[in-house]
Amino acid sequence: MNNVVTEIPVLDISTSRNADGTFNPEFVAALLDAAHRVGFFQIVGYASRANQDQELLDTVAEFFAKPVEEKIGLDNRNSAQFRGYTRLGTEITRGRADSREQIDYGPDREPLAVVPADKPYLNLQGRNQFPEDFPQLRERAMEWAELMNRTGHELLSAISVGLGLGEDYFDEPFSGTPAWMGKLVHYVGGGIVPEAGNQGVGLHADYGFVTLLLQDQVGGLQVQPYGQDSWIEVPPTPGALVVNLGEMLEVATDGYLMATIHRVIAPPPNVDRYSVPFFYSPRLDAVIDKVELPAELAADARGVSDDPHNPMLASYGANVLKGWLRAHPQTAAIHYPQLIQKRATA
């Protein structure tokens, strides 16, 4: 990389289309540049209702202020879908505990009655766990998911146009039963989880296509663009969402677009940080093939990351289950013992 990246671009998604409904070439060019060169950017102008973002963050904070005895009733160890409440210090990133607790959720559907042995990732379809006595958490989280699905679709369509593809190129993998994921996250001040040190969440890349993050004003998110040793801060920006791309787009574009490595530094002692990441993702059975890029883009494709600790898989379901098994070892041991044993002997 010739130029060191020092800041995160900010794009106004309200300018994404022309009056006739076609994509604005200037917006598409800026989007593709940010996606390729930096791998992270922020968007403003997305179609939220007034105060929807802060209302959700306030609701998340109110939930996590409840006693752990109440939250543990939603324990994700009860869920083969890794849904529900993750206790402090029990999610693992790069072999180390994270300084966070969270609720994981997704499309609320009946689990499949029959799952083929060679497709264990289909077990990830299932029910959410939300508190019955605090219904506003479910209501606001699911309302946010609807907005993020629309926003993610618009961004992926614009990226597709930038790649020389039709704007509906990736629509088929998302048709029917897309397996988006959402998290409601509470990072705790450094030292509460001693084994985590200052790790809010360790360095990692995301599994799916497009990640949209709502973060509060505390800060701590850091990004390491491709080919760069230094980390850069992603500043909290009022009214903005942070966007990055996942492993499915890296696979599809042979690394022209990268699933950029990022991490969160735990907040200072006695400070709480809240965030709501949303992962715009296709069906569990979707398999993403490489696309044919225009020659000028293909020449800048960097290849898919070769990380023995994190092989990237073209099957979305297999890719995401790989990550869940690694991040939630206690839940994995309960619901996927055969896969855990297989990994241990591989």
Side-chain angles (χ1 to χ4, degrees):
M1 178 173 290
N2 295 324
N3 298 313
V4 174
V5 175
T6 59
E7 60 183 21
I8 303 298
V10 180
L11 308 178
D12 185 350
I13 195 173
S14 70
T15 68
S16 64
R17 291 186 185 264
N18 300 313
D20 62 1
T22 60
F23 273 105
N24 175 357
E26 292 182 0
F27 175 84
V28 170
L31 173 64
L32 198 65
D33 174 70
H36 171 70
R37 183 174 54 86
V38 187
F40 264 72
F41 52 95
Q42 299 195 67
I43 61 168
V44 296
Y46 63 100
S48 63
R49 60 173 173 76
N51 206 43
Q52 184 177 357
D53 52 355
Q54 192 59 50
E55 184 180 79
L56 176 58
L57 289 171
D58 290 345
T59 304
V60 170
E62 186 177 352
F63 169 75
F64 284 116
K66 294 178 179 295
V68 69
E69 293 79 15
E70 294 185 28
K71 294 179 287 190
I72 202 66
L74 310 172
D75 195 337
N76 75 341
R77 289 175 294 183
N78 299 325
S79 170
Q81 293 75 42
F82 301 89
R83 309 273 182 92
Y85 176 65
T86 299
R87 293 151 295 132
L88 276 174
T90 57
E91 181 160 5
I92 306 298
T93 307
R94 293 279 174 155
R96 186 174 168 191
D98 296 328
S99 298
R100 58 175 169 162
E101 57 180 344
Q102 64 192 36
I103 290 279
D104 285 278
Y105 69 107
D108 197 44
R109 304 184 181 117
E110 284 290 340
L112 296 178
V114 178
V115 173
D118 62 341
K119 297 180 180 179
Y121 51 80
L122 294 179
N123 280 306
L124 295 176
Q125 176 170 305
R127 293 296 190 185
N128 291 323
Q129 295 192 85
F130 281 111
E132 295 299 328
D133 61 349
F134 193 57
Q136 56 267 47
L137 188 68
R138 180 200 307 264
E139 292 164 3
R140 290 170 183 167
M142 296 304 282
E143 179 189 30
W144 187 256
E146 291 181 12
L147 173 62
M148 292 301 97
N149 267 311
R150 294 194 298 271
T151 307
H153 181 266
E154 181 74 354
L155 284 169
L156 185 57
S157 296
I159 288 169
S160 299
V161 171
L163 294 174
L165 311 168
E167 67 174 84
D168 60 351
Y169 182 87
F170 289 110
D171 282 2
E172 194 285 327
F174 288 81
S175 65
T177 54
W180 57 265
M181 300 185 297
K183 291 177 179 282
L184 312 173
V185 186
H186 172 214
Y187 293 94
V188 299
I192 292 180
V193 182
E195 62 271 28
N198 72 343
Q199 177 170 299
V201 56
L203 60 92
H204 66 286
D206 292 340
Y207 311 130
F209 269 80
V210 179
T211 301
L212 303 109
L213 171 72
L214 172 65
Q215 62 172 342
D216 66 12
Q217 298 304 300
V218 171
L221 175 60
Q222 298 181 340
V223 176
Q224 189 177 52
Y226 175 81
Q228 185 166 311
D229 294 330
S230 57
W231 293 83
I232 57 175
E233 301 282 343
V234 182
T237 303
L241 297 174
V242 181
V243 182
N244 64 282
L245 308 181
E247 293 173 344
M248 293 294 98
L249 274 175
E250 181 168 334
V251 169
T253 65
D254 195 31
Y256 180 80
L257 302 175
M258 303 294 288
T260 302
I261 296 295
H262 52 288
R263 67 186 181 188
V264 174
I265 304 302
N270 303 315
V271 174
D272 299 290
R273 178 180 186 266
Y274 301 97
S275 71
V276 182
F278 179 88
F279 306 92
Y280 182 65
S281 305
R283 296 189 312 273
L284 290 169
D285 65 356
V287 176
I288 307 303
D289 297 321
K290 288 183 181 179
V291 303
E292 185 173 346
L293 296 174
E296 64 272 19
L297 301 186
D300 286 333
R302 295 162 289 207
V304 175
S305 302
D306 183 18
D307 182 350
H309 300 290
N310 183 39
M312 293 191 190
L313 308 175
S315 162
Y316 172 67
N319 203 49
V320 73
L321 180 57
K322 167 203 70 179
W324 285 122
L325 294 175
R326 186 174 58 226
H328 297 276
Q330 294 183 26
T331 305
I334 294 169
H335 299 283
Y336 299 91
Q338 301 92 336
L339 295 182
I340 297 300
Q341 184 177 8
K342 183 178 179 180
R343 288 176 63 202
T345 57

